[in-house]
Amino acid sequence: MKALYIASTGMSAQERNVEVISNNIANMRTPGFKRQRAEFEDLLYQQISRAGSQTSDQGTLVPAGLEIGSGVRTVATPRVMSQGSVNPTERELDVAIRGEGFFMVDLPDGRTAYTRDGSFERNQDGTLVNSSGYPISGGITVPGDAKGISISPDGTVEAFIGTDENAVQLGQLQLARFVNKSGLESMGDNLFLETGASGAAQIGVPNADSNGSLLQNYLEMANVNSVTEIADLIAAQRAYEMNARVISGADQMMQATSQLR
């Protein structure tokens, strides 16, 4: 009986849906995290009677066909790249992006990764790095005797060095934009990688050319709405239960048929 296999695809799809929702909830406090959603599509159909087929010599046509579907599958888990809430941290190296763009991070293998997580630190050499210790693109180095570090909305990094009365410019943070942000590949560590689907990175200065502006002493948090996620979780659970009942009902029908024999 096909109903058993059709309902099993529904249970599998909702199981994957719950996994996506659980990952969203687990990352509610992850800086720069962008929630995902599961997208589904129906499977192949068995054409028993095709719509528009001729039924007589006079040219009469079947107005509606007879098609039996094969179930459902999870086809994609795109990220929702909306702006997350911006919270104050009182740390001078915490930077939030208001608007479009990603910070660029230099990976050890030579690739460039992209992130919305602006919780920066200084390594042993004073180089600006992310939480995993990867350098921020641009090679910005903050001397050990620097004080009063400021990061302007356009990404200019300045600080007072030693006894100097005038601030010294240390570098410029840049942002990258993509035509299709949902096409970025997640690699963990709050980082994304460019893919053919995302398009090439368009690099520019913050607060210019449609790029977002920077806000020092703040962090962008995850764009996960707890109420929405719980509602989606309940809906996924109910859909899973209904598919399980279909399997149970199909099994009872098969038992009744076998008893008749």
Side-chain angles (χ1 to χ4, degrees):
M1 181 175 288
K2 291 185 178 180
L4 288 170
Y5 302 101
I6 293 173
S8 69
T9 65
M11 293 180 67
S12 178
Q14 293 308 319
E15 181 180 353
R16 185 63 54 83
N17 192 18
V18 170
E19 292 172 354
V20 172
I21 295 171
S22 65
N23 186 60
N24 290 341
I25 295 175
N27 284 281
M28 285 181 60
R29 299 295 300 170
T30 302
F33 177 81
K34 300 302 179 185
R35 68 181 182 90
Q36 294 174 283
R37 72 166 188 263
E39 293 185 349
F40 309 98
E41 68 178 14
D42 51 355
L43 297 178
L44 294 174
Y45 286 82
Q46 179 185 3
Q47 298 279 352
I48 299 176
S49 175
R50 188 177 299 275
S53 59
Q54 188 169 323
T55 59
S56 70
D57 295 337
Q58 286 70 37
T60 54
L61 303 177
V62 175
L66 176 56
E67 302 174 335
I68 304 298
S70 302
V72 64
R73 69 168 181 169
T74 309
V75 64
T77 54
R79 290 191 179 271
V80 180
M81 292 292 189
S82 59
Q83 176 83 47
S85 61
V86 177
N87 295 347
T89 64
E90 299 182 358
R91 293 186 69 253
E92 61 184 4
L93 292 181
D94 282 348
V95 187
I97 302 174
R98 294 183 295 183
E100 294 291 326
F102 293 83
F103 295 113
M104 295 180 292
V105 179
D106 297 329
L107 299 179
D109 59 5
R111 294 180 298 174
T112 300
Y114 306 91
T115 182
R116 293 281 295 192
D117 180 7
S119 51
F120 301 146
E121 303 285 352
R122 284 186 287 180
N123 66 7
Q124 69 277 8
D125 300 320
T127 302
L128 205 62
V129 297
N130 72 346
S131 300
S132 298
Y134 302 142
I136 305 303
S137 296
I140 300 174
T141 300
V142 180
D145 58 348
K147 55 183 181 294
I149 301 173
S150 68
I151 302 175
S152 63
D154 65 358
T156 303
V157 182
E158 296 180 327
F160 293 95
I161 309 299
T163 58
D164 290 347
E165 296 182 355
N166 297 321
V168 176
Q169 182 172 336
L170 304 177
Q172 174 88 43
L173 290 172
Q174 293 185 314
L175 296 179
R177 291 187 297 115
F178 296 90
V179 174
N180 176 25
K181 295 177 288 186
S182 296
L184 293 170
E185 176 186 345
S186 306
M187 63 168 291
D189 297 330
N190 290 356
L191 299 175
F192 298 97
L193 293 175
E194 177 185 315
T195 69
S198 68
Q202 303 173 19
I203 301 172
V205 177
N207 208 25
D209 299 328
S210 300
N211 289 320
S213 61
L214 304 186
L215 187 61
Q216 188 181 14
N217 302 322
Y218 286 81
L219 273 183
E220 180 188 4
M221 303 308 295
N223 63 349
V224 177
N225 185 310
S226 58
V227 176
T228 301
E229 296 299 329
I230 293 300
D232 290 344
L233 178 61
I234 293 173
Q237 289 175 319
R238 296 295 176 265
Y240 187 92
E241 292 172 0
M242 292 179 66
N243 281 284
R245 290 180 182 178
V246 170
I247 290 179
S248 177
D251 180 55
Q252 292 176 5
M253 292 171 65
M254 292 177 66
Q255 287 181 353
T257 303
S258 63
Q259 289 175 0
L260 290 174
R261 294 177 181 174

